[in-house]
Amino acid sequence: MKELNCQEVEQVSGGFWLLAARIILPSVINMVAHSLRKKGKHEEITPQGLAIAGGSGLIAGGVGVAGGLAAGGTLIGNAVWAPSSIAINASGNAISQKY
């Protein structure tokens, strides 16, 4: 496996801020979705549920970014890793609904 230098990472991924957004944004979206689901069901929003939802978003985003970069950063490479990211995200969201 080849180690990418900073310039190659920017060419493949769009730079640091895009990478950070691809990791952090799923976490924020999961936490908002978790809160809205709980509020819609008139259930208590707990810190544990928010942490699980946010954590699953971070892990899913990280897997997606790392897998996409490892696959060369192409559209096909990113698409290959998308199902695993979606599975991690869905599992984490299902678990967070119990808290």
Side-chain angles (χ1 to χ4, degrees):
M1 183 176 280
K2 179 184 175 198
E3 183 176 330
L4 300 175
N5 65 34
C6 291
Q7 184 180 9
E8 290 172 323
V9 170
E10 286 181 17
Q11 289 173 347
V12 170
S13 64
F16 172 79
W17 293 112
L18 184 57
L19 281 176
R22 287 179 62 188
I23 294 172
I24 295 170
L25 220 52
S27 177
V28 172
I29 291 169
N30 279 0
M31 292 171 70
V32 169
H34 173 79
S35 299
L36 291 174
R37 269 189 240 116
K38 287 291 193 177
K39 187 173 180 171
K41 293 179 181 180
H42 303 290
E43 296 176 358
E44 180 183 3
I45 300 169
T46 64
Q48 295 92 346
L50 286 172
I52 293 168
S56 68
L58 281 173
I59 294 169
V63 166
V65 167
L69 286 175
T74 63
L75 184 59
I76 301 292
N78 282 303
V80 167
W81 284 93
S84 58
S85 295
I86 292 168
I88 291 167
N89 203 25
S91 300
N93 284 331
I95 292 168
S96 73
Q97 290 304 305
K98 297 179 182 178
Y99 290 91

